[in-house]
Amino acid sequence: MAINILMPALSPTMEEGNLAKWLVKEGDSVESGDILCEIETDKATMEFEAVDEGVIGKILVADGSEGVKVNTPIAVLLEEGESADATPSTAPATTEETTGKTTEEITEETLTEAEAPAATAPVASTPVEQDLPAGTTFKSQTVREAIRDAMSEEMRRSEDVFLMGEEVAQYEGAYKVSQGMLDEFGPKRVIDTPITEHGFTGIAVGAAFAGLNPIVEFMTFNFAMQALDQIVNSAAKTRYMSGGQMTCPIVFRGANGAASRVGAQHSHDYASMYAQIPGLKVVMPYSADDYKGLLKSAIRDPNPVIFLENEILYGRSFDVPEIEDYTVPIGKARIWREGDDVTIVSFGIGMQYALEAADKLAEEGISAEVIDLRTLRPMDTETVIKSVMKTNRCVTVEEGFPVVSIGGHISATIMQEAFDYLDAPVINCTGKDVPMPYAANLEKLALVTTDEVIAAVKSVTYR
Amino acid sequence: MAAAKKPKKANLDKDELLDFYREMLLIRRFEEKAGQLYGMGLIGGFCHLYIGQEAIVVGLEASAIEGDQRVTSYRDHGHMLACGMDPKGVMAELTGREGGYSRGKGGSMHMFSREKNFYGGHGIVGAQVPIGAGLAFANWYRGNDNVSFAYFGDGAANQGQVYETFNMASLWKLPCVFVIENNKYAMGTSLQRGSSTPELYTRGAAFGIPGEAVDGMDVLAVKAAGAKAVAHCRSGKGPYILEMNTYRYRGHSMSDPAKYRTREEVQKVKDERDPIDHVRELLVGGKHATEADLKAIDKEIKKVVIEAADFATQSPEPELSELYTDILAEAN
C-alpha cells in the first residue's frame, strides 16, 4: 500500500521548513535509513531519512520549495511492485514515517494560538507610542536575527564585548542565534564553553569585575539554575557589598519559559524569580525591534542584566526600524494599543495572548489598552498606573507560575497607588501552579491562553 | 606533576626578611585587635581570623607585580593587608563604619579595592575560584602579563565549581595561581573526614594542572613556590596549583569554640611551626637583627593597629540614606 512521506518536524517548535534538495528521484528504491532529502529549518539544514523501504513513486513537493508546513505530504512511497499511480488510501496514512502524530498535535493543538500569527505580525502589533524619527523605514526581521544583530553591532563597537556559552561558536548557537558570529569575530570573542554553567558563569563574572563586558548565553535559563549562586550572590550583590567600588557589566541571556512539549525541567519561566533580586536588571521583550534595542542597551549597561528570550518567538518576524545604532531604554514600558475599557499588562510571549485578546474583544466592543512592560526590573509601574487611572480596570498576563508572580506585584502596586480608581479587582492570568506537563493536552491547559485573558477582561468589565 | 618535595630555599636577604616579619606581624596584631573588638561588640556578625596563616599571603605577594589580581574567601583580612590596603579602612569595615572599604555595607567578609586589584572578600565557599579564573581570563583576553591569585581553603577544594574552573582554566591556559590554604579544618570537619584524597595539590592532575605542596608556615618556602607558579602562569603555560599546608590558631569564626580539635594540637603548632617565630629566629639567629630591632618593629606595628582601631571606632556609621545607594551603577 502506498504511503505518504510527510514533512517532518525537526525541533519542538518547528512549524514549517524549506525542502532544500531531494537526494532521491522518482523510481528510486530506498531502504530504511537512506537519506531522502535535505530540509532547511530556520535553525539548520537537516537530512531526512527514510523509515520504510519501498520505491519513490511520486515527489509531491519540488526542490527549493519554501514554507512547507509540517505534516504536508512531500512524496509517495510505493511498496515493491505497486504502480506509480497508486495513491495513499487515507491522507496521513502512517505515523511512523515522520513521527507525524506528535507533530500534528503540536501544530494543531498546542501551537494554534501560539503560532498562528507567526508569518505576519498580529493586527494590533503596530505600537501606538514609538519615538522614532519621521521617515524611518522598517525591515522585517526575526527575533533570532535581531538578537544576533544586537550582539554583533555591540561587538563591533567595543573590543571588550565577547560572547560565551555552550555551542555559541562552531555550532552557531543551539537555537542558531549566533549565526555567523564566529566567522566575524573569531574564537577569542565567540567562545564555546564546556557544559559547566556554574563554572563559566563565575569566570564571566570575574571577567566583568575586571572590566570586560561578557555576554553569557545560557542554552536555556533552566540551566542557569546551576549558576544561580554566581548570578545572585556574585554578580548582583557585589556592587552594594563593595560600597559602589565594583561594577559587573554582564548580560545573561537565553531562552526562558515554555517551548513546546519539552517537559517540566525545560519549560520554567524565571521572570518573577529574577525580578526579585536587587542589583539585577531584568528584561523580557516581545517583539524583534525591542529585542534588538533592549539587548544593545543591556550590553552597554554597567550592571548585570538578565535578558529573558523565548524559543517560540525566535522565529517570529516583526518590523525592526532601519536606524543605525537602534537602542531602546531599559525600564520603559511600551503601549501597543490604546483603549478605554481595560488595561491589559503583559511582557514576553504573554503579549501575544494580550494582543490577540484585545483584537477579539474589540470585535465585541470592548476597548483594551495593551501595555508591554518589556523590563521587569526596574519596572515602569508609572505607565501602568496612568493607564489604570484611565480605564479603571486591569488584567495581567504572564506565562509564569501564579504564586509571587509579576501580576501579583502589579496588583499590589495598583492597589497602593490607584485604589480609588479601580472599578474591579485586578485579575492575574498566569501559567498554572504545576510543573509543566509533557502531554500535549495537559501542557495546553497549564499555559495561559487568549480565552482566559478574554474571560478575565469580561469579568473585570462586568460583561 | 611535581611531588611534595621541599622547594629550594630562597637566598636570605635581610631587608626582605624584615619586610616579611613586619607584614606578618601586622596581620597578626591586626587580627588580635579585631578579635578584641569583636569581644567588645564593636564588630558584629561573622569574623574569620587569619592568625597562623600569615606566611601564605605575605610570601606570595612577593611574586606579584603591578596589575596582578587577587581574590579570596571570607577569611580575607590578611590578604587585604598583604596587598597594601589601608588597615584603617579594613578595620572600619569590620566595625561597619563609613570609613570602611565598603563604606560599612560589606563587613568582614566583603571588601574590595580596585586600586590594589583586590576583588574580595566572598562569602560563598568556593565561589571566588571561578571569579579568580575570570580575572585571569581578562588578562588572557587583553594579552597582558598579569596573573590572578585565587585563594581558597581545603573545604572549598571539594566544591564542584572548583573543578569546573580547573577544567576551563587548563583548557584555555588562563594565568591563574590556585592557592589552596589547607588549614586542616573545613569549619569543624577535618581534612580526613571530608576529603577522599588529602593530597589537595594533586586535585588538578585530571585537568593537567601542575601542583605542589608547600610548607605554608615557612614564608621563604612560600615565596619560592610562588615565584615558580607565577613564572609558569606568566609564560602562558596555564594555571598552577599551590597547596599551602598551614593551620589556623583560632576557631573557624569568632563564634566557633573549636571543640573538634585538642588544645594540645593547637599548642604544638604554635610552639613548633609558628611562621612569625620562624622569621624571628632567622633574623636574630642569623644576626640580621637584634631583639631591640624587632621590639622597635613590634612597637611600630602596635601603633598602626591602634590607629586603625581608633579610626574604626570613631568613624561614624553610614548615613541612613546610604541604604539605597550603590545597588546599581549609573548607565553612561
Side-chain angles (χ1 to χ4, degrees):
Chain A
M1 193 186 71
I3 49 177
N4 275 333
I5 298 173
L6 306 180
M7 181 72 172
L10 299 170
S11 78
T13 54
M14 174 175 165
E15 303 160 69
E16 60 176 42
N18 304 333
L19 208 162
K21 189 164 82 174
W22 280 103
L23 301 173
V24 293
K25 56 183 188 300
E26 291 176 2
D28 283 358
S29 291
V30 295
E31 288 181 10
S32 161
D34 286 352
I35 298 164
L36 299 177
C37 60
E38 288 178 356
I39 289 169
E40 268 174 22
T41 69
D42 52 358
K43 295 173 204 167
T45 300
M46 295 176 70
E47 290 174 343
F48 180 44
E49 294 178 2
V51 175
D52 294 325
E53 58 179 30
V55 176
I56 301 292
K58 197 168 232 158
I59 285 176
L60 303 171
V61 174
D63 278 5
S65 300
E66 293 190 357
V68 183
K69 298 277 182 218
V70 166
N71 277 349
T72 308
I74 56 174
V76 178
L77 188 69
L78 306 172
E79 278 180 33
E80 210 63 43
E82 221 172 357
S83 154
D85 298 330
T87 47
S89 49
T90 54
T94 69
T95 55
E96 302 91 330
E97 194 67 32
T98 63
T99 63
K101 189 79 179 178
T102 314
T103 314
E104 191 174 85
E105 282 170 8
I106 290 173
T107 313
E108 294 186 2
E109 295 175 29
T110 317
L111 296 184
T112 303
E113 283 167 349
E115 299 285 11
T120 53
V123 184
S125 74
T126 309
V128 292
E129 278 186 9
Q130 262 198 309
D131 208 9
L132 296 172
T136 298
T137 56
F138 295 85
K139 68 173 170 184
S140 177
Q141 207 176 24
T142 62
V143 165
R144 174 180 286 114
E145 291 163 343
I147 297 168
R148 192 240 358 247
D149 285 0
M151 291 193 290
S152 296
E153 285 178 25
E154 292 307 297
M155 284 176 67
R156 283 174 210 131
R157 187 171 175 264
S158 166
E159 282 284 321
D160 287 341
V161 182
F162 67 93
L163 172 65
M164 78 180 342
E166 292 154 8
E167 309 292 2
V168 299
Q170 291 193 14
Y171 199 90
E172 303 193 300
Y175 296 104
K176 288 288 174 276
V177 168
S178 47
Q179 265 172 333
M181 290 180 67
L182 176 63
D183 281 350
E184 179 175 354
F185 300 104
K188 188 176 163 187
R189 299 183 66 197
V190 182
I191 303 164
D192 278 328
T193 65
I195 306 170
T196 54
E197 285 84 6
H198 200 179
F200 72 68
T201 301
I203 286 176
V205 168
F209 285 161
L212 298 179
N213 302 125
I215 304 169
V216 175
E217 175 175 310
F218 293 117
M219 196 178 290
T220 80
F221 262 92
N222 301 282
F223 314 148
M225 292 290 270
Q226 299 255 11
L228 200 56
D229 172 61
Q230 289 291 355
I231 297 171
V232 175
N233 273 316
S234 301
K237 295 178 183 171
T238 295
R239 183 167 183 83
Y240 196 79
M241 296 193 304
S242 70
Q245 266 196 79
M246 303 284 291
T247 51
C248 189
I250 192 168
V251 175
F252 302 106
R253 50 155 290 269
N256 169 68
S260 181
R261 310 285 314 278
V262 291
Q265 291 184 338
H266 286 70
S267 302
H268 195 144
D269 174 8
Y270 292 95
S272 69
M273 199 185 80
Y274 286 112
Q276 228 238 333
I277 312 296
L280 294 179
K281 292 188 178 182
V282 182
V283 179
M284 187 158 160
Y286 165 60
S287 59
D289 49 339
D290 283 342
Y291 265 96
K292 183 173 184 189
L294 280 162
L295 183 54
K296 282 166 67 77
S297 295
I299 294 167
R300 289 179 202 182
D301 199 283
N303 298 289
V305 181
I306 304 285
F307 195 87
L308 301 169
E309 302 167 2
N310 186 285
E311 190 191 333
I312 291 168
L313 293 177
Y314 278 151
R316 192 79 50 91
S317 293
F318 294 83
D319 286 341
V320 177
E322 292 184 293
I323 293 176
E324 208 187 311
D325 202 16
Y326 178 66
T327 60
V328 171
I330 291 174
K332 260 190 87 63
R334 172 173 178 181
I335 299 172
W336 276 73
R337 178 181 181 123
E338 282 183 338
D340 302 317
D341 298 330
V342 62
T343 301
I344 304 178
V345 183
S346 189
F347 52 92
I349 196 163
M351 278 300 294
Q352 162 185 290
Y353 311 113
L355 291 171
E356 277 174 16
D359 283 350
K360 290 187 179 169
L361 288 162
E363 290 166 13
E364 300 182 40
I366 299 173
S367 158
E369 182 144 302
V370 181
I371 296 175
D372 179 359
L373 288 173
R374 302 194 291 193
T375 302
L376 303 175
R377 170 177 274 274
M379 195 185 287
D380 182 4
T381 49
E382 196 185 321
T383 296
V384 175
I385 296 292
K386 214 171 121 191
S387 175
V388 170
M389 285 178 170
K390 178 176 75 173
T391 64
N392 311 112
R393 292 165 166 92
C394 183
V395 167
T396 68
V397 185
E398 70 196 286
E399 205 183 67
F401 298 130
V403 179
V404 201
S405 61
I406 296 290
H409 175 70
I410 293 170
S411 304
T413 306
I414 294 172
M415 186 181 73
Q416 287 165 29
E417 296 183 23
F419 185 75
D420 289 340
Y421 290 86
L422 279 180
D423 286 346
V426 177
I427 294 182
N428 302 144
C429 297
T430 66
K432 308 309 180 291
D433 203 10
V434 296
M436 189 64 72
Y438 168 70
N441 61 335
L442 295 182
E443 185 185 56
K444 187 187 171 196
L445 204 58
L447 291 164
V448 65
T449 64
T450 303
D451 286 345
E452 285 169 358
V453 179
I454 291 170
V457 168
K458 288 187 175 171
S459 175
V460 300
T461 53
Y462 304 115
R463 304 281 184 117
Chain B
M1 176 61 57
K5 66 185 178 208
K6 235 177 152 84
K8 264 205 320 204
K9 293 240 162 148
N11 288 332
L12 288 187
D13 174 314
K14 178 190 163 187
D15 291 338
E16 186 179 67
L17 270 182
L18 281 169
D19 283 346
F20 286 164
Y21 181 76
R22 190 178 283 112
E23 287 164 22
M24 288 196 290
L25 196 66
L26 171 64
I27 295 172
R28 177 143 322 168
R29 297 285 172 263
F30 181 96
E31 294 290 65
E32 287 166 352
K33 179 58 82 178
Q36 191 189 359
L37 296 183
Y38 192 93
M40 294 162 69
L42 287 161
I43 296 172
F46 295 122
C47 183
H48 309 85
L49 302 182
Y50 199 62
I51 297 175
Q53 304 181 208
E54 298 91 342
I56 298 169
V57 287
V58 169
L60 286 179
E61 282 293 340
S63 297
I65 60 168
E66 184 66 33
D68 287 353
Q69 308 104 328
R70 54 288 277 168
V71 65
T72 188
S73 70
Y74 42 79
R75 194 178 306 286
D76 55 357
H77 311 161
H79 303 70
M80 293 187 275
L81 297 174
C83 73
M85 288 168 66
D86 182 357
K88 287 181 182 162
V90 179
M91 195 69 94
E93 190 58 39
L94 298 184
T95 55
R97 305 302 174 93
E98 193 181 80
Y101 265 98
S102 297
R103 298 195 286 132
K105 292 175 171 182
S108 162
M109 300 188 282
H110 308 298
M111 273 175 267
F112 306 81
S113 168
R114 293 298 293 265
E115 185 201 347
K116 302 290 182 189
N117 286 305
F118 180 74
Y119 286 84
H122 294 267
I124 307 297
V125 174
Q128 76 275 21
V129 180
I131 290 171
L135 298 168
F137 177 95
N139 297 332
W140 167 83
Y141 189 88
R142 291 174 170 138
N144 64 32
D145 283 334
N146 285 119
V147 305
S148 87
F149 296 87
Y151 293 87
F152 55 105
D154 46 297
N158 291 322
Q159 279 278 24
Q161 61 181 316
V162 170
Y163 298 94
E164 298 187 20
T165 302
F166 281 178
N167 181 44
M168 285 178 278
S170 182
L171 185 68
W172 298 334
K173 298 216 180 315
L174 302 181
C176 188
V177 183
F178 296 108
V179 185
I180 305 174
E181 298 193 56
N182 179 3
N183 65 19
K184 309 294 183 285
Y185 293 93
M187 200 169 142
T189 302
S190 68
L191 184 68
Q192 288 71 21
R193 294 202 302 123
S195 294
S196 59
T197 51
E199 297 85 8
L200 301 179
Y201 69 92
T202 66
R203 291 283 179 97
F207 308 95
I209 306 177
E212 63 182 273
V214 182
D215 180 358
M217 306 300 270
D218 176 351
V219 70
L220 297 174
V222 172
K223 184 200 161 193
K228 189 173 156 191
V230 165
H232 177 92
C233 292
R234 287 203 214 287
S235 67
K237 291 179 186 158
Y240 202 93
I241 293 171
L242 294 176
E243 178 191 352
M244 296 292 176
N245 288 302
T246 186
Y247 200 81
R248 71 169 144 74
Y249 292 1
R250 298 294 185 92
H252 166 72
S253 69
M254 289 302 295
S255 51
D256 171 20
K259 298 283 192 207
Y260 42 82
R261 60 187 191 187
T262 61
R263 206 180 285 268
E264 291 71 33
E265 179 185 307
V266 182
Q267 196 56 48
K268 192 171 152 63
V269 179
K270 285 183 180 175
D271 290 345
E272 297 174 6
R273 297 180 63 206
D274 186 78
I276 297 177
D277 283 351
H278 174 237
V279 173
R280 171 182 277 272
E281 282 156 23
L282 288 176
L283 281 167
V284 178
K287 309 234 182 289
H288 299 298
T290 63
E291 287 289 347
D293 293 337
L294 298 186
K295 255 201 184 99
I297 292 177
D298 289 2
K299 206 173 154 193
E300 168 199 327
I301 296 294
K302 201 172 177 185
K303 184 163 172 279
V304 171
V305 170
I306 286 173
E307 280 172 4
D310 287 348
F311 178 78
T313 48
Q314 283 158 20
S315 175
E317 289 188 306
E319 293 284 338
L320 295 183
S321 60
E322 286 288 325
L323 182 65
Y324 288 109
T325 60
D326 305 324
I327 299 166
L328 293 171
E330 287 295 320
N332 295 319

